[in-house]
Amino acid sequence: MITIKSASDIEKMREAGKIAANALAILGQKLHAGMTTKEIDKIIHDEITKAGAKPSFLGYAGFPGSACVSVNDEVIHGIPNPNRKVREGDIVSVDVGAYYKGFHSDTCYTFAIGSISDPVRALLTDTEASLYKGIEQAVVGARLGDISHTIEEYCRSRGYGIVKQYCGHGIGRELHEEPEVPNHGKAGRGMRLLEGMTICIEPMINLVGDDVWVKPDGWTVMTKSGSVSAHFEHEILITKDEPVILTKL
Ligand code: MG
């Protein structure tokens, strides 16, 4: 079901969004080579709970962490691990959600650990840019396919692989609501965006190849090529004017 949010819903979603954004910002200040993915998860957990919210992902479908922490060729849904250290030259995507006053938030950022190679730096820059290109399309009267097509076009023209099995989504009282927001599609197709809809846009872009597989842990999604993958996500409120990003400080 598509849900349209009231002004008071949106106020709470803004607060939930800020809490998730703040947790990512604090992590960004503390993140360094040698830190384990479990330590990353703990920083996120502590910041969200300190703000009086609950980590949306903890226990979701049995997920064992507060954040999804995915390193290098892990695309999404990486499980925090006390034995996995991030190293200089790695990239790590940290996907975070906060549940506050009855509403969820959801945002992701891919961090570089120290200095990374030029192609990987470009992948991060381009994937984040594709997110903002997609966001520009998220206005009343546009169609879902306009967002999807814009992201696909931007990333394809740079030779990247696009993950198709996973996509963005509506969000609100539930972490995952309708509609699905794919990262590939045709312009002018799909449902029209309505004022008061809240959606997550989240390109998952591989340096090489579209294909992915899921590890035997049942969660971690990997690139088939073994190349690195980037993931950026914001939660957007659809308005008659500019798109409003709810997951920023
Ligand atoms: Mg999401």
Side-chain angles (χ1 to χ4, degrees):
M1 195 179 74
I2 310 272
T3 58
I4 300 297
K5 277 73 179 183
S6 69
S8 89
D9 293 345
I10 290 162
E11 217 29 67
K12 292 168 196 152
M13 290 188 75
R14 268 183 209 280
E15 293 180 69
K18 273 195 179 24
I19 292 168
N22 180 62
L24 272 185
I26 300 283
L27 174 67
Q29 293 163 11
K30 295 185 172 177
L31 190 58
H32 59 80
M35 192 174 260
T36 69
T37 58
K38 182 69 188 171
E39 288 168 333
I40 291 171
D41 181 69
K42 187 177 185 311
I43 291 169
I44 296 296
H45 180 91
D46 290 352
E47 289 304 323
I48 289 174
T49 51
K50 230 193 278 173
K54 282 188 188 159
S56 293
F57 301 170
L58 186 58
Y60 183 87
F63 188 76
S66 296
C68 297
V69 187
S70 309
V71 182
N72 294 339
D73 58 340
E74 298 169 352
V75 181
I76 50 170
H77 301 166
I79 298 174
N81 181 340
N83 300 311
R84 176 82 190 266
K85 288 182 177 170
V86 295
R87 295 175 307 184
E88 172 89 16
D90 284 348
I91 59 171
V92 57
S93 87
V94 183
D95 198 345
V96 171
Y99 182 68
Y100 188 68
K101 296 185 180 173
F103 288 89
H104 290 279
S105 59
D106 191 358
T107 180
C108 180
Y109 191 88
T110 302
F111 299 91
I113 308 296
S115 70
I116 56 174
S117 72
D118 289 346
V120 178
R121 169 64 60 194
L123 175 73
L124 297 190
T125 305
D126 292 336
T127 303
E128 189 173 21
S130 80
L131 167 61
Y132 285 95
K133 293 280 176 194
I135 290 172
E136 281 173 22
Q137 300 294 320
V139 291
V140 167
R143 291 183 184 269
L144 269 179
D146 298 333
I147 300 172
S148 307
H149 176 75
T150 300
I151 292 170
E152 180 177 24
E153 184 107 308
Y154 191 87
C155 294
R156 280 278 181 243
S157 71
R158 286 160 177 78
Y160 299 128
I162 296 167
V163 177
K164 295 177 174 168
Q165 289 90 333
Y166 302 89
C167 60
H169 50 90
I171 186 168
R173 292 188 181 275
E174 302 294 331
L175 179 58
H176 295 114
E177 297 186 352
E178 287 181 50
E180 291 195 338
V181 185
N183 295 308
H184 66 104
K186 290 197 165 71
R189 298 278 180 87
M191 74 164 292
R192 279 197 195 281
L193 301 177
L194 305 170
E195 187 173 7
M197 279 176 67
T198 43
I199 58 170
C200 290
I201 303 177
E202 48 177 323
M204 295 157 235
I205 306 298
N206 302 335
L207 192 57
V208 178
D210 293 1
D211 294 343
V212 296
W213 62 285
V214 181
K215 268 184 156 177
D217 66 21
W219 282 105
T220 317
V221 178
M222 313 285 297
T223 60
K224 210 164 225 175
S225 67
S227 83
V228 299
S229 184
H231 180 204
F232 289 83
E233 175 177 15
H234 271 310
E235 182 185 321
I236 311 303
L237 167 67
I238 311 294
T239 76
K240 276 181 287 196
D241 307 310
E242 298 289 294
V244 177
I245 299 176
L246 297 173
T247 39
K248 66 176 189 189
L249 292 175

